[in-house]
Amino acid sequence: MKGIRKTLAIITGKILIRLSKILGNQGTDFPGKIARRIYPEILTDLSENITDEIVIITGTNGKTTTSNLVASILKEKNISFVHNTAGANLITGITTAFIKDIDILGYREFEYAVLETDEANVPLLLNEITPGLILITNFFRDQSDRFGELDKIITLIKDAVDDKPIDLVLNSDDPLATSFEREPSLSTWFFGFDNTIYDTKESVDIREGRHCIICGQELIYHRFHYEQLGKYKCPKCKNKNAERNFTVHDFKLAPNIELKVNGTQFKTNFQGFYNAYNILAAVSLTKLLGIEIDYIVSAINKYKPQAGRMESFEINEKDVVLVLVKNSAGFNQALFSITQDYDSKTIFFALNDNSADGTDVSWIWDANVEGIFENNNAPTHIVCTGKRSGDIAVRFKYSGCSENKITIEADLSNAVNLAINSSLKKVYIICTYTALFEVRDILIKMQEQSTGKSKIDEKQYQREEV
């Protein structure tokens, strides 16, 4: 009976995946949801087909890019693996990922599973599968209406991994991650940065990590990379950056990222400091899996950012960059990247407040928007759209942008056209989650009409509620 229900769940899931794609969706969540109703143990059963290692990648920012980089490295070496692609990071989406690749009887083996998951989903996932490695990218305040305070999320993950034979891969530069090092049952590995030319002695961006997570004393920062990431020490309990196993040095944004990890040179297609952390995280994880460095370098150097993670388009001989933001830390990093660009530019911002975005958009006031108007290369045209277009327009106005440079357009397609058809050389398209894929589809069509270049094969980066 158990075997029949398992097979029925797999067949039903596969049919629903197929039907969903025929209807123009990606079939990443609903098939897993129905399959789990038919056979609730399906994820546990199918995960037992992983022969080498299950790895989980979580954290506030960067988990999608990091997991996609890890997947590309495994693919470079022709390793078989299960992977839930961008955004399908709840337990139903992860279940669908296994169903999609498994055979009908559920016995096909894979060497690895690379599972990106929402921070709050970690305990649920660990109830059903047994990973060998968990990588946590960072902790930033994010969608407080969904996740609550940061200490709640950190405690949630800490309790979930307690007394389990799991290796944790952590960000040494994040003071909120250091408490894991003191858990006697856990094995920990750390990655981080040496000093960089972009560091500052003070930070106006820091919102978290001001105080020691161990004793509560205010931390002393010697330098900031960005937000609370940097070199810190607690004067009371001596808590400080954990000793690094993987270190970035010789880091340049020129504008694409060039860096060395433990002496190995990478020349990438990525932009932005935060993507340098994603690269470092992916290198650290795959090195721990035993992947040879030549495969890692080759995969990362040729990887092109996708799904709105500083994704590039060419439209009407204009460079267009699509950027997903969902919290003040990500917004600050997008703005920092824009300040590094000296071309004349338009900023487009689609701000929504749907449940997947987080209904509280007050984080736009926590970001240092003022910073981009303090330079000679400030944007000279701002297009605001989305359900909360008025809020983001007001935010730009109070950051120092003249009203006559701000346009509010309710229709998304019209707003994209306004931004693209301006006389300025560069366009940065910034979106919150639920606007991202609709805007991306518009940009894909515009690029196809403009250049004949197609991105249709990349539509596997689906729209999935997080």
Side-chain angles (χ1 to χ4, degrees):
M1 187 64 183
K2 183 178 175 182
I4 294 173
R5 290 178 65 191
K6 176 181 172 181
T7 303
L8 180 61
I10 293 172
I11 292 173
T12 303
K14 285 182 175 293
I15 290 172
L16 290 174
I17 291 170
R18 182 63 179 163
L19 284 175
S20 180
K21 290 185 176 178
I22 289 173
L23 294 173
N25 301 312
Q26 296 301 314
T28 51
D29 182 64
F30 186 65
K33 184 177 182 179
I34 299 302
R36 293 173 63 83
R37 287 184 181 174
I38 297 171
Y39 183 57
E41 300 84 8
I42 188 168
L43 181 56
T44 301
D45 270 19
L46 297 187
S47 70
E48 291 173 356
N49 292 319
I50 304 302
T51 60
D52 288 25
E53 199 72 272
I54 296 173
V55 299
I56 291 176
I57 298 170
T58 190
T60 308
N61 290 344
K63 52 185 175 286
T64 298
T65 299
T66 301
S67 63
N68 286 340
L69 279 170
V70 170
S72 71
I73 292 166
L74 297 182
K75 188 176 180 181
E76 185 75 12
K77 198 183 173 186
N78 200 28
I79 289 174
S80 62
F81 62 94
V82 174
H83 176 216
N84 59 320
T85 52
N89 61 16
L90 301 183
I91 204 157
T92 47
I94 291 170
T95 303
T96 300
F98 276 90
I99 291 172
K100 179 172 69 66
D101 291 330
I102 208 79
D103 60 84
I104 289 177
L105 296 177
Y107 293 126
R108 183 183 174 191
E109 291 186 337
F110 296 87
E111 293 166 274
Y112 290 93
V114 180
L115 307 177
E116 172 205 341
T117 195
D118 190 309
E119 306 93 284
N121 197 47
V122 170
L124 297 174
L125 198 51
L126 294 188
N127 285 336
E128 299 192 23
I129 67 171
T130 306
L133 282 166
I134 296 180
L135 184 146
I136 302 174
T137 55
N138 46 55
F139 291 108
F140 295 120
R141 184 180 294 276
D142 183 30
Q143 300 185 32
S144 55
D145 54 317
R146 290 181 62 217
F147 294 122
E149 294 299 320
L150 262 178
D151 56 353
K152 178 184 175 184
I153 285 294
I154 294 169
T155 301
L156 196 70
I157 296 176
K158 194 182 291 183
D159 290 345
V161 300
D162 186 40
D163 284 334
K164 290 185 172 62
I166 296 172
D167 282 13
L168 288 185
V169 188
L170 300 161
N171 190 333
S172 171
D173 299 336
D174 187 349
L176 298 174
T178 55
S179 61
F180 288 94
E181 188 184 22
R182 301 195 177 199
E183 295 298 318
S185 63
L186 298 174
S187 297
T188 51
W189 303 84
F190 285 90
F191 58 87
F193 274 62
D194 266 345
N195 298 342
T196 84
I197 58 176
Y198 310 101
D199 293 347
T200 57
K201 297 291 185 183
E202 296 182 351
S203 174
V204 297
D205 299 332
I206 184 169
R207 296 288 181 271
E208 313 297 336
R210 289 179 179 273
H211 297 88
C212 178
I213 196 168
I214 307 296
C215 70
Q217 180 73 27
E218 186 172 0
L219 293 173
I220 297 172
Y221 271 88
H222 302 291
R223 56 199 305 130
F224 292 91
H225 298 317
Y226 68 85
E227 303 290 329
Q228 81 269 13
L229 307 183
K231 299 292 178 291
Y232 54 85
K233 185 176 182 180
C234 174
K236 183 178 179 182
C237 72
K238 310 305 179 186
N239 177 32
K240 62 179 181 179
N241 300 72
E243 186 174 347
R244 299 183 296 257
N245 304 99
F246 304 95
T247 300
V248 162
H249 52 99
D250 296 345
F251 171 49
K252 296 177 186 174
L253 293 166
N256 289 353
I257 293 170
E258 296 182 16
L259 52 79
K260 291 181 180 177
V261 180
N262 291 1
T264 301
Q265 178 76 53
F266 292 84
K267 295 184 178 181
T268 77
N269 296 304
F270 284 94
Q271 298 180 23
F273 206 141
Y274 61 110
N275 273 323
Y277 270 104
N278 298 333
I279 292 166
L280 172 60
V283 173
S284 305
L285 182 60
T286 48
K287 283 293 291 178
L288 288 171
L289 292 177
I291 308 299
E292 295 85 348
I293 194 66
D294 288 347
Y295 292 108
I296 298 172
V297 172
S298 176
I300 287 180
N301 285 358
K302 66 186 180 186
Y303 187 92
K304 293 185 177 178
Q306 296 167 337
R309 275 69 177 181
M310 284 284 179
E311 183 179 11
S312 295
F313 295 81
E314 181 185 344
I315 301 170
N316 298 342
E317 299 182 345
K318 192 170 294 189
D319 294 329
V320 180
V321 181
L322 179 61
V323 189
L324 169 69
V325 298
K326 57 177 185 171
N327 51 45
S328 61
F331 192 15
N332 276 332
Q333 283 302 293
L335 295 171
F336 174 76
S337 296
I338 292 170
T339 62
Q340 302 299 302
D341 186 341
Y342 289 87
D343 287 332
S344 62
K345 62 186 78 69
T346 296
I347 290 181
F348 164 106
F349 201 124
L351 178 64
N352 283 345
D353 63 353
N354 297 312
S355 59
D357 303 296
T359 56
D360 180 0
V361 298
S362 61
W363 54 266
I364 62 175
W365 292 94
D366 293 331
N368 181 27
V369 185
E370 289 78 5
I372 61 169
F373 296 105
E374 294 171 351
N375 301 299
N376 294 329
N377 59 338
T380 52
H381 185 208
I382 309 287
V383 177
C384 301
T385 188
K387 292 175 65 178
R388 303 294 289 270
S389 57
D391 293 72
I392 191 62
V394 170
R395 181 67 186 96
F396 279 114
K397 175 186 173 184
Y398 281 96
S399 66
C401 182
S402 172
E403 280 185 58
N404 59 19
K405 294 180 180 177
I406 301 173
T407 304
I408 299 176
E409 170 56 55
D411 183 86
L412 198 61
S413 182
N414 289 343
V416 173
N417 273 286
L418 273 173
I420 300 289
N421 293 326
S422 74
S423 59
L424 304 175
K425 188 173 181 180
K426 198 86 168 271
V427 184
Y428 285 91
I429 304 283
I430 302 173
C431 299
T432 51
Y433 193 80
T434 59
L436 176 71
F437 292 100
E438 187 176 353
V439 169
R440 186 171 187 268
D441 286 346
I442 294 170
L443 295 176
I444 288 172
K445 289 178 182 175
M446 292 180 77
Q447 177 169 271
E448 288 173 353
Q449 292 169 358
S450 172
T451 66
K453 294 180 181 177
S454 174
K455 283 199 173 193
I456 198 74
D457 293 338
E458 298 172 9
K459 283 191 175 180
Q460 71 269 25
Y461 296 95
Q462 73 298 322
R463 44 187 71 71
E464 175 77 14
E465 289 196 355
V466 294

